Amino acid sequence: MAQPALAQSTRKTLKTANKFFDQENYRASIPFYEQVLAKEPNNALALFRAGIAYMSFDKEKASDYIYKAQRLKPKVSKDVEYWLGRVDHLNYNFDEAIAHFQAYNTTLGKKDTRKAALAQLIQHSKNAKVQFNSPKDIFVKNLGPTINTAFSEHSPVISNDDKLLLFTSRGENVTGASGSTANPKNKSVAADGEYYEDIFEAKRIDDENWEKPRSLSGALNGKGHDASIQVFDNDTKMLMYRQDENGDIFYSEKASGDWTEPKKLNNNINSKAFESDAYITPDGLTIYFSTSKYSDQNTLDIYYATRQPGGDWGTPKSLGNVINTPFDDDSPYLSKDGKTLYFSSRGHNTMGGYDIFKSEYDSVGRTWGRPENMGYPVNTPDDDTYYRLSPDGSYAYLSSYRIGGYGEKDIYTINYIKNAIIRGKVYSQRDSTIIPGVELVFSGTQADKTALSYRDVTKPETGDYQVSVLSGRTYQVAVSKDGKNIETQEFAVPVSTSDSTVIEKNFYVPYVDTSSTYAFKKIYFDTDKYKLRPESIKELNNISGILKANPGLNISIEGHCDSRNTDEYNMVLGQNRADAAYNYLKKSGIAETRLTTVSYGERVPFATNDSPENMQLNRRVEFRPILKEGEAMPRLQPAASGASSTGSGSGAPGSSGNNPATLTPGKSKVKMADGTKVKTKVDEDDDKVKVKAKGANGEESKTKTKNGTIDAKTKDATGEKTKVKTDND
């Protein structure tokens, strides 16, 4: 018994939904279709019609519903292909839309009058595809939920000081809006089931926010639709639309802070036909307006009239066929200098519905030029209307129904994306010193995929760079020096709508300056050890000699480890390794004020710790010249001939001394302060050196150096022996 009753209830609900649908009261039909679908989710007819109804409020849901209806029942309606085309077009699926329109076209007879309209829809999809694939660098921003609602907001009008916004809404706050739009007795509901339009004003709080809108009810809002058009004469007068004789243009004046009862413009402007929008030039002498009075197809065209000596409007003249089309041409608006006309049209090369167009005035020919589509994303596949410039002309307002809005038409701002200044320095990732002479190339694309490239080179003294780039995109930044690429980084530049935007960006790159004639080599260590190897002595002697020849040069001694042990352990081990080199150089006569040490532990590996060979490369000490900020690496003087210090002179790991032995041809014997005895033999041409050392605690070492090759044998105090043979070059 329950099932037949449930089915009967569903049929009754569906009947109610269809009634509103047939009246084109789509908003009222949706709740009833949803009730049906809650009980019968696969009801193809309810899905199909709900999908059509949703096209004015939620395009993506509309697509889901219509497509599901067709899958469930391919012939859910004779015109299902038409509606699939419409919904695909609104959702930017232009190729699919064309295919559906063409499929629908095959179902029509040769003389069917719908073929012409269908051909136009196909052309709209083709136009939209072209515009969408060639976007402009424009930032479109919704004014937000304080202004926009789930209903329709349009006709933005901004005051001369940019602090007051007047606009038109069909939302729930309109005068007399009480009860459901599905209630035919609700006097605030129009024939289409939507609330009547009312005019509101909102005061600006800051660049991003507005106060709660206030309804300009009473004098300005009549029984039907009322819409804002323009404020002029220092915001003391207003043009507005009122639903009177199919729609006419009125004006109101401000008195004691409020608007007076609107008065209708004269019969040269208004008629029994539809007049929808207008614009009066700043000098008050010309009015441009849209009317259907002179159209055979009852569509809107744009006309203009001038003030007569008596002060009223004269006989109107058409803007001509360059501007006006067989379709609706509406919403005229001029730039302050009067040289650019903006208007909305369903004709020309529209992407679908109304698009915003602009035309430039030819002062020589005294004619308006061919209209240009403002392009995507100013225009969309749906209606885009009421384009109005801000007082300074730096941005614009418009009304549009687009994906991501709050529902139906919303008011948006249109900002052209501007350049941003990117400036900063380039630093070495390793030691945070600046790198002069670095080339930075910022590579990106415009919205239409046209390549962009900006370049600068860091300054010799400061390492600074500065580029001016188009904002609102991610750049690939190639960093190179002396023609060699160091690395490429990504850098996202946020949208800027002002040319004064400055962004600080420093780049840290893996670069080591090897331009010096005398680059310091690394020295290496055994696992878990910090004793100096015999082969390290030659490099320490080399460093000592260079430091003595360049008294203004200071160095940082940096200890590193492999990853065998804990981070804490390795930080200590790295410091011990740095200290071993530090002590050697200090005892060779280098002032400790010229030396500094640091440990990086395992944190800055030279190679991955995945093999014994790579781990050996990480057990090291590196030597880096310390430069002041902005200072370039100086050209170093070579060590004095024959003046390189041997340190302890022994080459023995861990040995030290205060009196350096001078390497001169012949033989020498030296006893160090710690008791170490050193014997040295140097050949006449200085290409072969033999050093024997015996420490006070029994340590011994023998080192032979010839043509850069080191052959060493050592024995420490415990008797442990080590043999090393290496080519230091």
Side-chain angles (χ1 to χ4, degrees), residues 375-395:
Y376 177 82
V378 172
N379 292 316
T380 69
D382 212 312
D383 285 334
D384 306 284
T385 54
Y386 306 108
Y387 187 88
R388 301 289 186 261
L389 291 171
S390 66
D392 64 1
S394 64
Y395 67 98

Side-chain angles (χ1 to χ4, degrees), residues 438-444 452-457 467 469 475-480 487-489 507:
V438 172
E439 182 185 52
L440 299 102
V441 178
F442 288 69
S443 299
L452 294 170
S453 183
Y454 306 92
R455 173 188 175 275
D456 196 21
V457 177
V467 292
V469 306
Y475 286 92
Q476 301 295 315
V477 186
V479 184
S480 61
E487 73 170 6
T488 300
Q489 297 185 16
F507 288 91

Side-chain angles (χ1 to χ4, degrees), residues 532-538 541 646 648-653 655 663 678-682 688-693 700-706 708-715 722 724-726:
L532 296 173
R533 289 178 175 177
E535 70 267 24
S536 301
I537 300 303
K538 182 179 179 181
N541 290 340
T646 61
S648 68
S650 69
S655 63
L663 295 179
V678 180
K679 293 181 179 180
T680 305
K681 180 180 180 182
V682 183
K688 183 177 180 181
V689 179
K690 291 182 179 179
V691 179
K692 293 183 180 179
E700 294 182 2
S701 71
K702 294 180 181 180
T703 303
K704 181 173 69 175
T705 304
K706 184 177 182 180
T709 299
I710 295 177
D711 190 353
K713 298 177 182 178
T714 64
K715 183 178 74 173
T722 303
V724 176
K725 188 172 184 178
T726 181

Side-chain angles (χ1 to χ4, degrees), residues 10 114 151 229 255 379 400 418 509 518-519 543 576 627 686 706:
T10 301
R114 288 173 289 181
F151 298 84
I229 292 179
N379 292 316
S400 182
K418 302 293 183 65
V509 296
Y518 297 94
I543 293 171
N576 287 338
L627 303 176
D686 201 21
K706 184 177 182 180

Side-chain angles (χ1 to χ4, degrees), residues 127-299:
N127 295 341
K129 185 177 178 181
V130 171
Q131 297 290 349
F132 181 72
N133 289 327
S134 304
K136 312 292 185 188
D137 275 298
I138 289 171
F139 180 55
V140 181
K141 185 175 182 181
N142 193 296
L143 281 193
T146 303
I147 303 298
N148 295 313
T149 70
F151 298 84
S152 180
E153 279 74 38
H154 61 83
S155 303
V157 174
I158 195 72
S159 63
N160 196 48
D161 61 4
D162 204 15
K163 294 182 178 179
L164 188 69
L165 175 70
L166 284 81
F167 66 98
T168 303
S169 176
R170 301 189 74 174
E172 294 174 308
N173 294 321
V174 301
T175 305
S178 58
S180 170
T181 55
N183 180 5
K185 295 182 180 180
N186 187 347
K187 293 182 180 181
S188 62
V189 175
D192 62 0
E194 299 283 317
Y195 293 118
Y196 282 113
E197 297 169 331
D198 273 2
I199 301 172
F200 290 77
E201 69 172 16
K203 293 180 180 179
R204 185 188 292 280
I205 298 173
D206 53 38
D207 288 345
E208 304 289 332
N209 299 289
W210 300 87
E211 291 182 358
K212 183 179 179 181
R214 176 177 76 95
S215 174
L216 299 181
S217 57
L220 284 189
N221 290 328
K223 295 180 180 179
H225 294 301
D226 300 283
S228 47
I229 292 179
Q230 181 190 3
V231 288
F232 58 102
D233 282 358
N234 292 319
D235 301 342
T236 62
K237 297 177 183 178
M238 178 196 296
L239 282 184
M240 59 174 287
Y241 166 88
R242 175 165 282 184
Q243 189 179 359
D244 186 75
E245 289 189 309
N246 289 319
D248 283 336
I249 309 298
F250 286 69
Y251 78 96
S252 174
E253 299 186 55
K254 214 165 196 179
S256 302
D258 216 339
W259 296 101
T260 62
E261 175 68 27
K263 298 177 182 179
K264 186 183 292 193
L265 299 188
N266 73 2
N267 291 337
N268 283 330
I269 307 302
N270 290 311
S271 68
K272 292 183 179 180
F274 178 38
E275 283 76 40
S276 67
D277 206 353
Y279 175 80
I280 294 177
T281 56
D283 60 12
L285 299 179
T286 307
I287 184 170
Y288 293 80
F289 65 102
S290 46
T291 178
S292 63
K293 177 181 178 180
Y294 307 99
S295 170
D296 294 336
Q297 293 84 22
N298 203 34
T299 57

Side-chain angles (χ1 to χ4, degrees), residues 244-384:
D244 186 75
E245 289 189 309
N246 289 319
D248 283 336
I249 309 298
F250 286 69
Y251 78 96
S252 174
E253 299 186 55
K254 214 165 196 179
S256 302
D258 216 339
W259 296 101
T260 62
E261 175 68 27
K263 298 177 182 179
K264 186 183 292 193
L265 299 188
N266 73 2
N267 291 337
N268 283 330
I269 307 302
N270 290 311
S271 68
K272 292 183 179 180
F274 178 38
E275 283 76 40
S276 67
D277 206 353
Y279 175 80
I280 294 177
T281 56
D283 60 12
L285 299 179
T286 307
I287 184 170
Y288 293 80
F289 65 102
S290 46
T291 178
S292 63
K293 177 181 178 180
Y294 307 99
S295 170
D296 294 336
Q297 293 84 22
N298 203 34
T299 57
L300 291 168
D301 288 324
I302 299 175
Y303 279 70
Y304 72 99
T306 57
R307 284 197 188 276
Q308 301 305 295
D312 217 337
W313 300 110
T315 304
K317 296 179 181 179
S318 171
L319 285 190
N321 293 336
V322 173
I323 301 297
N324 293 318
T325 69
F327 307 96
D328 288 316
D329 302 288
D330 193 9
S331 193
Y333 182 86
L334 270 70
S335 59
K336 274 191 175 181
D337 60 11
K339 294 180 180 179
T340 306
L341 169 70
Y342 300 93
F343 65 101
S344 302
S345 177
R346 294 182 188 271
H348 301 291
N349 61 330
T350 175
M351 292 177 67
Y354 278 110
D355 272 8
I356 310 296
F357 291 82
K358 70 175 181 179
S359 172
E360 303 294 336
Y361 187 69
D362 179 0
S363 57
V364 177
R366 302 176 71 102
T367 58
W368 289 103
R370 183 179 177 181
E372 175 189 345
N373 191 304
M374 295 282 285
Y376 177 82
V378 172
N379 292 316
T380 69
D382 212 312
D383 285 334
D384 306 284

